[in-house]
Amino acid sequence: MSTNSFIVFTGVAPHPPIMVPEVGGDAIVEVQKSIDAMAEFTHRIIESGAETVVIISPHAPLDERAFVFYGGPIIQGDFARFRAPQTSFSLEVDEPLISQLSSFTREDNFELIELENISLDHGVAVPLYFLLKNGWSGKVVALGYSFLSNDDHLRFGACIRKAVDETGRRVALIASGDLSHRLKPEAPAGYNPNAHLFDEEIVSAVESNDLLKVELVDDQLRRRAGECGYRSVLVAIGATKELTPRCELLSYEAPFGVGYMVAQFAADNEVLRELPALARKAIETMVHTGTAMKTPAIRFGILAERAACFVSIKTSDGELRGCIGTIEPTKDTLAEEIIANAIGAASYDPRFEPVTAKELDNLKYSVDVLSPAEPATMDQLDPKIYGVVVEELKGKRRGLLLPDIPEVTDAKQQVEIATRKAGIKPGTPVKLSRFEVRRFRE
């Protein structure tokens, strides 16, 4: 991604209210892929260090010739229209960013109209629900698109980018929108046998990392599809124009005849590379100087959070050379946790001699960041997805095994290995917990 822009993430999120558990109830199983993808989507926004999220929705009270925004200083949303009035939230509006956006839109001969004292539409509320649920916190700018030309929406996206860069704050932009609404005979907008072609073109563009394909989608096909997200996507593409595209399809499904896509267009992945790079620097500093490095000053993003982690060292041939970690966080920030565990992996893993200077050029590093552990039963374990913590019911011994280890094929084997690692005798009553990890490798 271009280093001269403060837009650190752009992507697409669907907005069916049925995805919200308080609305969908048991029916959320039909959209589980999208729900899981939104968790990953949110994690990426958090990791980008975004301080503000800009969402552009197709369901705001739209103006034919102008773009609209929800006025602040606080905006509120709920799901009362979907029989879940208790599910509500409020967020602070990034008013300086709106002020800058107003200035740039005027320069480009656009009008930006304020929506006053209006509850957020579901095109904004659903993505925000998942952002908040999955741990994001920050300010928001909620926009609605217009009925101006496709090119105007691309240019409006460029206005957003210029406004963001003027403020100097890290911002994520979300295009809220569903794809075709006519994929099945029972679809809410009717059925068109060619509607699937629209979704296939959009998905193909993302998978091939070629957003120009989205701009070139045939307008007649788009109308036959009955979509609601195309103009939102154009705004996101306009904001992404000068960035390096890093498209990734996180999920696509159409359980009710409406296409739901979760996708990344661009992301500032520097912070993701910083995790193993920080482990490398900590180890090389210790080996060369005999002292621990100073923790870098970090005020946002994943490295500023408090989390447990494991640091693994491997040779260039893939042989393990050291691994030390924490089940629960012991430091104030993940950065401090990584430094401490990296030094531990290099110097204090009892299975290996301390790492020496002559080995450094032949080593690679990875960092596994652990989610908080939650109680689990054997049938709730999946060694491909979850790590496991095994703890004596009457005692202090406990052992951990990370997920996605090639030779571990089932939950029983996973628990047996973790039990053995902890020194717990077979047959001893234990309690189980599971956790997820985010793995960052060089």
Side-chain angles (χ1 to χ4, degrees):
M1 176 172 279
S2 169
T3 57
N4 61 0
S5 178
F6 284 89
I7 289 187
V8 293
F9 183 93
T10 60
V12 184
H15 53 238
I18 197 172
M19 287 172 58
V20 175
E22 294 86 344
V23 174
D26 293 341
I28 63 170
V29 297
E30 300 287 343
V31 288
Q32 193 61 51
K33 284 177 60 177
S34 297
I35 292 171
D36 294 342
M38 284 301 296
E40 173 65 19
F41 189 85
T42 303
H43 286 314
R44 296 185 183 199
I45 289 175
I46 292 170
E47 287 158 4
S48 74
E51 299 165 273
T52 294
V53 166
V54 175
I55 300 180
I56 183 154
S57 168
H59 295 300
L62 302 182
D63 188 282
E64 185 176 354
R65 305 297 301 173
F67 296 92
V68 299
F69 71 93
Y70 288 88
I74 301 295
I75 55 175
Q76 297 178 325
D78 61 48
F79 293 93
R81 287 176 295 170
F82 304 98
R83 301 182 300 281
Q86 74 284 1
T87 304
S88 61
F89 55 84
S90 61
L91 285 163
E92 185 179 354
V93 173
D94 191 336
E95 293 187 305
L97 177 53
I98 289 177
S99 178
Q100 290 292 345
L101 180 57
S102 297
S103 176
F104 282 110
T105 52
R106 281 194 301 271
E107 289 180 12
D108 223 356
N109 296 316
F110 292 128
E111 188 176 3
L112 188 62
I113 297 174
E114 181 176 0
L115 303 173
E116 298 183 85
N117 302 316
I118 298 176
S119 183
L120 297 175
D121 68 90
H122 69 278
V124 177
V126 172
L128 280 180
Y129 171 90
F130 283 99
L131 284 166
L132 296 170
K133 177 183 178 181
N134 290 300
W136 179 79
S137 61
K139 297 181 180 180
V140 66
V141 171
L143 304 166
Y145 61 50
S146 72
F147 294 101
L148 296 170
S149 70
N150 291 350
D151 184 61
D152 285 333
H153 284 79
L154 292 167
R155 290 195 299 118
F156 182 66
C159 289
I160 294 175
R161 185 185 66 249
K162 287 185 285 188
V164 167
D165 292 343
E166 190 69 21
T167 65
R169 282 193 297 281
R170 296 165 74 90
V171 171
L173 191 151
I174 299 173
S176 174
D178 300 332
L179 300 186
S180 175
H181 287 56
R182 297 170 178 164
L183 295 170
K184 295 180 179 180
E186 64 271 22
Y191 175 64
N192 187 295
N194 293 319
H196 68 96
L197 298 175
F198 172 77
D199 288 28
E200 289 168 10
E201 288 198 26
I202 301 297
V203 168
S204 173
V206 172
E207 292 181 324
S208 62
N209 199 41
D210 187 357
L211 295 176
L212 181 60
K213 290 181 178 178
V214 177
E215 297 179 44
L216 298 177
V217 168
D218 180 70
D219 279 343
Q220 290 296 325
L221 175 59
R222 183 167 62 84
R223 281 189 278 271
R224 287 194 293 269
E227 52 73 37
C228 74
Y230 185 70
R231 290 185 179 92
S232 296
V233 168
L234 289 180
V235 173
I237 292 174
T240 308
K241 282 283 188 181
E242 295 184 8
L243 311 179
T244 302
R246 292 196 176 97
C247 297
E248 185 176 346
L249 182 70
L250 301 181
S251 73
Y252 173 82
E253 60 183 348
F256 310 112
V258 179
Y260 305 140
M261 181 177 76
V262 183
Q264 170 184 295
F265 283 174
D268 183 353
N269 290 322
E270 284 301 316
V271 70
L272 308 188
R273 291 190 287 272
E274 283 176 7
L275 273 67
L278 181 60
R280 172 181 286 279
K281 186 174 182 181
I283 289 169
E284 292 180 350
T285 299
M286 174 59 71
V287 171
H288 287 310
T289 69
T291 59
M293 66 175 286
K294 292 183 178 179
T295 304
I298 298 166
R299 66 185 183 87
F300 54 72
I302 189 173
L303 286 170
E305 296 175 5
R306 194 164 188 264
C309 73
F310 272 70
V311 175
S312 299
I313 309 170
K314 290 187 177 181
T315 68
S316 58
D317 296 328
E319 295 294 323
L320 184 66
R321 184 59 183 84
C323 181
I324 290 289
T326 45
I327 299 175
E328 298 169 348
T330 62
K331 308 293 183 182
D332 290 335
T333 67
L334 177 58
E336 295 173 273
E337 202 86 23
I338 290 172
I339 292 169
N341 289 341
I343 292 171
S347 304
Y348 304 114
D349 188 328
R351 298 168 294 179
F352 303 97
E353 293 295 320
V355 169
T356 63
K358 66 180 181 180
E359 296 179 81
L360 293 175
D361 290 343
N362 192 44
L363 299 179
K364 293 186 178 295
Y365 305 91
S366 65
V367 177
D368 288 347
V369 180
L370 279 60
S371 70
E374 60 182 11
T377 58
M378 184 71 79
D379 62 354
Q380 292 174 321
L381 299 179
D382 182 340
K384 287 294 181 184
I385 300 174
Y386 299 106
V388 67
V389 178
V390 179
E391 187 173 358
E392 287 180 318
L393 288 179
K394 298 180 179 180
K396 297 183 179 180
R397 296 176 189 258
R398 64 177 178 175
L400 173 147
L401 198 65
L402 295 170
D404 200 23
I405 298 174
E407 59 269 24
V408 179
T409 58
D410 58 51
K412 181 180 178 182
Q413 182 187 16
Q414 184 187 38
V415 170
E416 287 175 350
I417 295 172
T419 302
R420 188 165 62 248
K421 284 180 64 179
I424 300 172
K425 294 181 179 179
T428 302
V430 296
K431 64 178 180 180
L432 304 176
S433 301
R434 69 180 188 181
F435 59 90
E436 295 181 86
V437 305
R438 291 184 56 73
R439 184 160 289 159
F440 306 98
R441 299 186 179 96
E442 287 190 321

